[in-house]
Amino acid sequence: MSALVIAEHDNRSIKGATLNAVTAAAACGGEVHVLVAGANAAGAAEAASRIAGVAKVLHADSPALAEGLAENLAAQVLALAPGYSHLLFPSTASGKNVAPRVAARLDVAQLSDITRVVSADTFERPIYAGNAIATVQSSDAVKVITVRTTGFDAAPASGGSAAIESVAAVADAGLSSFVGREVTKSDRPELTAAKVIVSGGRALGSSEKFGEVLTPLAEKLGAALGASRAAVDAGYAPNDWQVGQTGKIVAPQLYVACGISGAIQHLAGMKDSKVIVAINKDPEAPIFGVADYALEADLFQAVPELIERL
Amino acid sequence: MKALVPVKRVVDYNVKVRVKSDGTGVDIANVKMSMNPFDEIAVEEAVRLKEKGALSEVVAVSCGVAQCQETLRTAMAIGADRGILVETDAELQPLAVAKLLKALVDKEAPQLVILGKQAIDDDCNQTGQMLAALLDWPQATFASKVEVADGFATVTREVDGGLETVKLRLPAIVTTDLRLNEPRYVTLPNIMKAKKKPLENVKPDALGVDVAPRVRTLKVSEPAKRGAGVKVPDVATLVDKLKNEAKVL
């Protein structure tokens, strides 16, 4: 019995979410192998081999795997699937894109967004926007899983010395092609990995105000910036800052919600944060129901004062 | 060119569900049900593509209990031309739904299937990808922009860190993200018209699909409750508490 973790990487380095998936894989029992599929991804394979607890790194290199197209990456995983009892993907945009494709080809169910490994075939996962936790048991021979990264500690990125084995890369399926990418520029920490998150809602009023009021606070705290759906829809913040059921799921040490009412869908993305601070004018805002520290105040006065006192 | 749009009947997104005290599931008796929000976006997109002349017919499909008819009528009120209900009382998991949809795709031969990226009840985010795999079609998940022309679909996807554009050879699968469009309100005349549109009823057996669940739910429990928070009177107290009580600064 062994587990294969499909690494998320940028061909040079391994993305943090992979480390959490390695921890979940180890909890399933058996050896943990990591697949690095990419183009000129020797650097990423090297980094994967240093992750503590990894027994072997499989490295598939081909231009067809350069952009992580679902059709090609799923075929690559399927080529290696025999011999593994567990296939684990981090629950990122890429992992969610590919894992069900692999599962359906294997004719097995896929388990989404697990938060705990109870045993090799039993897992916990949130349903209904995190308002219930289901304990589920899979009867399939192979478990195809996506791992909610906030549910597991990151495996140490160094200390391991796994062997790197080159594996044959699959041919391009020819079904799809990559056109381009528009990356949101940000010098702040990555949202899903940040220890502190400052998040803003509709109350900020404009994208200028959003940046003007929240950026200095984020800078002071070394925090990532997040946003509610309302703020994103109104154009105050980019889409990939959205925290919630349909955006990013985060669990930082400190989450500061400014001008966010706290709809069910938003709470689903942040209620596992260690400490939640809410700053809101409305004493009835549902965010106060989950906040450890609730400050009923106008954020345009409270946030600058907060920056001053830090 | 025809499009198939699967829609799911789910607990309305505004309802805060309660876990049953015996741990067998969540209590959805007498709770308001609606069309899954992502599926509304999928129907809207298909109807817009039809209005632009890129599609000739939009067929809505739903799998589940008899009441899913209402969900199909909503889809038809938005603008779908007809509906197909795969009626069963069995618990349907994404793999089973993907197989049912594959059987319908084989029969209906659409060039495009547009699904929601996830259902807000099971939060799985699997069915579209699984259907693509079973058909060996290309997929574009989490779409925020879709263009169809000359045998290809060009789709902009919402990914971690920004946007990504891919080009798919048709036939293809697209799953919708929130920002793809703003679904239109259904009007009373359109609701009346939708009542007259054809709705076909089929059974999983007739499609030759075994819908037996592969994953067994052993228990459903409440998430851990957060301790009661405190109200702080001013910013100074807040900073003090964060430093000395929570020790997060």
Side-chain angles (χ1 to χ4, degrees):
Chain A
M1 195 174 86
S2 46
L4 182 65
V5 173
I6 290 75
E8 182 158 352
H9 62 88
D10 58 6
N11 290 323
R12 292 180 301 279
S13 59
I14 294 288
K15 296 212 175 146
T18 310
L19 304 174
N20 308 83
V22 166
T23 302
C28 295
E31 271 191 10
V32 177
H33 297 178
V34 173
L35 168 66
V36 176
N40 302 318
E46 190 69 38
S49 72
R50 290 194 297 270
I51 302 172
V54 173
K56 188 157 76 173
V57 174
L58 306 177
H59 179 201
D61 216 291
S62 153
L65 297 166
E67 307 295 345
L69 289 171
E71 297 76 15
N72 295 342
L73 183 50
Q76 184 67 56
V77 176
L78 286 163
L80 300 166
Y84 290 101
S85 57
H86 295 74
L87 302 171
L88 299 99
F89 298 73
S91 191
T92 55
S94 165
K96 289 190 273 196
N97 191 27
V98 179
R101 198 167 172 109
V102 170
R105 279 296 176 80
L106 294 169
D107 193 25
V108 302
Q110 190 238 296
L111 302 150
S112 293
D113 242 359
I114 63 159
T115 49
R116 197 162 88 87
V117 177
V118 178
S119 69
D121 67 354
T122 306
F123 309 89
E124 281 183 9
R125 57 176 304 264
I127 52 175
Y128 287 93
N131 285 308
I133 307 294
T135 307
V136 294
Q137 186 175 40
S138 162
S139 56
D140 288 314
V142 185
K143 279 71 174 166
V144 181
I145 294 166
T146 59
V147 177
R148 179 172 287 198
T149 51
T150 56
F152 298 87
D153 294 333
S158 61
S161 56
I164 301 176
E165 186 182 304
S166 277
V167 294
V170 293
D172 189 348
L175 293 168
S176 60
S177 55
F178 176 80
V179 178
R181 184 169 288 143
E182 237 178 89
V183 179
T184 312
K185 296 252 181 308
S186 173
D187 38 17
R188 309 237 60 80
E190 201 199 333
L191 190 54
T192 50
K195 291 226 170 348
V196 182
I197 294 174
V198 172
S199 210
R202 204 195 327 244
L204 268 305
S206 70
S207 71
E208 291 75 32
K209 281 280 172 208
F210 197 98
E212 206 176 291
V213 176
L214 297 189
T215 308
L217 179 58
E219 242 150 48
K220 194 96 192 180
L221 294 167
L225 280 168
S228 70
R229 184 186 167 195
V232 171
D233 280 352
Y236 305 166
N239 300 350
D240 58 316
W241 287 10
Q242 187 184 325
V243 171
Q245 183 184 21
T246 61
K248 302 262 169 47
I249 312 285
V250 299
Q253 295 288 308
L254 174 61
Y255 188 92
V256 185
C258 306
I260 294 177
S261 64
I264 299 172
Q265 292 78 13
H266 185 76
L267 301 183
M270 46 64 82
K271 67 180 176 188
D272 292 329
S273 306
K274 189 161 169 273
V275 174
I276 298 173
V277 171
I279 303 174
N280 206 305
K281 268 201 297 206
D282 175 10
E284 305 294 325
I287 191 83
F288 285 150
V290 299
D292 299 283
Y293 301 108
L295 177 62
E296 189 191 322
D298 182 352
L299 72 93
F300 292 107
Q301 281 154 20
V303 172
E305 192 188 337
L306 182 57
I307 296 165
E308 209 172 292
R309 287 179 184 273
L310 285 170
Chain B
M1 191 169 108
K2 193 195 283 185
L4 206 67
V5 185
V7 294
K8 186 175 186 183
R9 177 179 181 264
V10 298
V11 170
D12 188 86
Y13 75 97
N14 278 316
V15 174
K16 191 170 185 308
V17 295
R18 300 210 179 281
V19 173
K20 286 191 209 164
S21 52
D22 62 358
T24 54
V26 297
D27 193 0
I28 57 166
N30 307 316
V31 162
K32 186 183 178 209
M33 306 292 279
S34 301
M35 188 191 297
N36 181 42
F38 291 99
D39 303 350
E40 274 187 70
I41 294 171
V43 178
E44 174 68 32
E45 193 64 19
V47 172
R48 286 188 192 188
L49 285 169
K50 191 186 165 193
E51 286 165 351
K52 275 192 248 171
L55 294 173
S56 54
E57 191 186 23
V58 177
V59 184
V61 182
S62 193
C63 304
V65 295
Q67 290 91 320
C68 295
Q69 277 186 29
E70 295 156 20
T71 315
L72 286 170
R73 291 289 174 205
T74 307
M76 289 188 271
I78 296 172
D81 298 290
R82 59 189 169 91
I84 303 174
L85 171 63
V86 182
E87 194 182 329
T88 171
D89 289 330
E91 183 207 336
L92 293 176
Q93 292 177 350
L95 183 62
V97 175
K99 288 179 179 179
L100 292 170
L101 294 174
K102 177 181 186 292
L104 289 175
V105 167
D106 290 343
K107 216 167 88 177
E108 297 278 341
Q111 289 290 294
L112 194 61
V113 183
I114 310 180
L115 306 88
K117 80 162 175 182
Q118 79 190 56
I120 59 165
D121 51 1
D122 61 21
D123 280 335
C124 274
N125 194 333
Q126 299 175 6
T127 308
Q129 295 91 311
M130 287 183 152
L131 178 61
L134 296 176
L135 292 163
D136 200 15
W137 287 7
Q139 68 186 48
T141 49
F142 325 141
S144 60
K145 192 174 167 204
V146 180
E147 274 162 24
V148 179
D150 308 323
F152 289 92
T154 306
V155 182
T156 301
R157 308 176 53 228
E158 293 198 6
V159 295
D160 303 332
L163 299 169
E164 175 183 297
T165 304
V166 291
K167 193 172 176 185
L168 312 178
R169 184 183 296 280
L170 294 177
I173 305 286
V174 172
T175 76
T176 62
D177 215 319
L178 281 174
R179 273 163 287 276
L180 180 57
N181 61 46
E182 183 109 7
R184 68 193 68 182
Y185 286 104
V186 294
T187 59
L188 188 59
N190 284 341
I191 292 171
M192 301 313 287
K193 267 185 236 161
K195 287 188 178 161
K196 296 205 177 74
K197 291 185 180 175
L199 199 161
E200 187 188 338
N201 193 318
V202 293
K203 295 276 187 290
D205 287 348
L207 296 171
V209 176
D210 173 17
V211 296
R214 304 291 189 82
V215 176
R216 201 155 62 96
T217 300
L218 304 179
K219 186 178 75 181
V220 174
S221 51
E222 293 254 3
K225 285 245 187 312
R226 294 189 71 93
V230 292
K231 259 208 160 124
V232 290
D234 52 36
V235 174
T237 320
L238 174 64
V239 172
D240 174 64
K241 293 233 183 231
L242 288 176
K243 278 192 176 142
N244 302 317
E245 197 176 280
K247 298 192 197 320
V248 285
L249 291 181

